[in-house]
Amino acid sequence: MVRNFGDMYKLDYVILRTSDIYGCSVNEDCKDFTTKILNGFYSDGEFVANKGKVMFPLYIKDVVESIFRAKDVTPSDVYNVSGNEITNEFEVACLLNNALEWKFNVKETEKSENVFNLDNSKIKRELEWFQFHTLQDVIFDGEFNLKKAPEKPSKLEAVHRQSAFMQSLENVLVFCFFIFLTFLCQSHSALRSMDLFYIYIILMSLMFGVR
């Protein structure tokens, strides 16, 4: 369609065919392969990766670089833009998993898929461009902003939650005990004048102060 439009109106054009593009962070609204894998880790705790899915990872910065280099090319032409490395979905999932603080389960499956091999030799040769980012370098050099997985609760946190529950239960029981005392003291003239709820408030204050 671009070619037909350009030829019809005598316009110069450059067509860039890109491979599997990935960004530098996990974006919930994106459909790139890194986001898909990491969201699978975070939501399900695992990811089923297809070892038969061949991939040519292309960093978003390389996409921008290709546009910058090709924007002034004349006459009209078509370039394939793909990364230098060839990998598969299973290897990518394992690579991302190794970069995370918490390790997840990577399940392997192998289903053959159609592979569109983009030969990038033309753009390298004509535009003298050879420096493409690799996925491993992007991840381990700190350019890729991995979304942190939910932290696993430690034993200390579990004990803290249990002690907080027991403390609340103790407060309820003490409160019920003072209500019971209030009803008992109503029939005794000597104890009726005692402000039991005032004593209860002082007692609670002391208990929380000690803890």
Side-chain angles (χ1 to χ4, degrees):
M1 186 175 68
V2 174
R3 280 179 171 174
N4 292 336
F5 189 86
D7 295 340
M8 183 183 302
Y9 293 98
K10 308 300 180 183
L11 299 175
D12 292 327
Y13 59 86
V14 177
I15 298 175
L16 300 176
R17 296 196 187 106
T18 61
S19 58
D20 305 289
I21 301 174
Y22 65 97
C24 55
S25 62
V26 180
N27 192 333
E28 298 290 344
D29 299 326
C30 290
K31 303 296 182 183
D32 63 282
F33 62 93
T34 53
T35 296
K36 175 184 175 183
I37 293 172
L38 290 171
N39 282 340
F41 285 154
Y42 297 143
S43 60
D44 303 326
E46 63 180 18
F47 183 79
V48 180
N50 184 7
K51 201 169 185 177
K53 184 176 181 180
V54 180
M55 308 180 72
F56 302 84
L58 178 63
Y59 193 33
I60 187 63
K61 288 186 178 180
D62 290 331
V63 177
V64 175
E65 179 71 16
S66 67
I67 295 172
F68 177 78
R69 288 175 176 266
K71 65 183 178 64
D72 297 324
V73 171
T74 54
S76 304
D77 213 336
V78 179
Y79 292 103
N80 294 330
V81 185
S82 66
N84 289 329
E85 58 183 331
I86 302 176
T87 183
N88 59 66
E89 189 178 53
F90 177 75
E91 291 179 352
V92 171
C94 291
L95 184 65
L96 290 170
N97 194 28
N98 290 334
L100 294 171
E101 182 179 357
W102 300 112
K103 303 308 176 188
F104 298 94
N105 186 24
V106 181
K107 292 186 176 180
E108 178 184 347
T109 184
E110 189 161 0
K111 299 178 183 178
S112 59
E113 295 188 11
N114 294 329
V115 180
F116 300 96
N117 188 3
L118 295 178
D119 182 10
N120 62 2
S121 60
K122 182 178 179 180
I123 195 170
K124 288 181 178 179
R125 181 180 65 255
E126 295 187 5
L127 302 186
E128 299 180 351
W129 180 29
F130 303 96
Q131 299 297 323
F132 290 85
H133 292 80
T134 66
L135 179 60
Q136 182 169 348
D137 289 341
V138 171
I139 292 174
F140 290 99
D141 287 349
E143 282 197 53
F144 197 100
N145 182 23
L146 292 166
K147 184 177 68 174
K148 293 183 179 179
E151 294 184 358
K152 296 180 180 179
S154 63
K155 292 182 179 179
L156 184 61
E157 291 174 344
V159 171
H160 178 72
R161 287 197 297 267
Q162 184 177 3
S163 63
F165 172 77
M166 293 302 298
Q167 182 176 332
S168 300
L169 182 61
E170 290 174 4
N171 293 339
V172 172
L173 292 176
V174 171
F175 181 75
C176 293
F177 175 72
F178 270 85
I179 291 179
F180 178 70
L181 282 181
T182 302
F183 284 107
L184 287 180
C185 293
Q186 286 180 354
S187 57
H188 296 78
S189 58
L191 298 176
R192 189 183 304 172
S193 59
M194 295 179 58
D195 192 342
L196 294 178
F197 280 100
Y198 182 70
I199 297 174
Y200 167 76
I201 292 173
I202 295 176
L203 181 61
M204 289 296 101
S205 300
L206 291 173
M207 289 175 64
F208 280 107
V210 171
R211 294 180 183 182

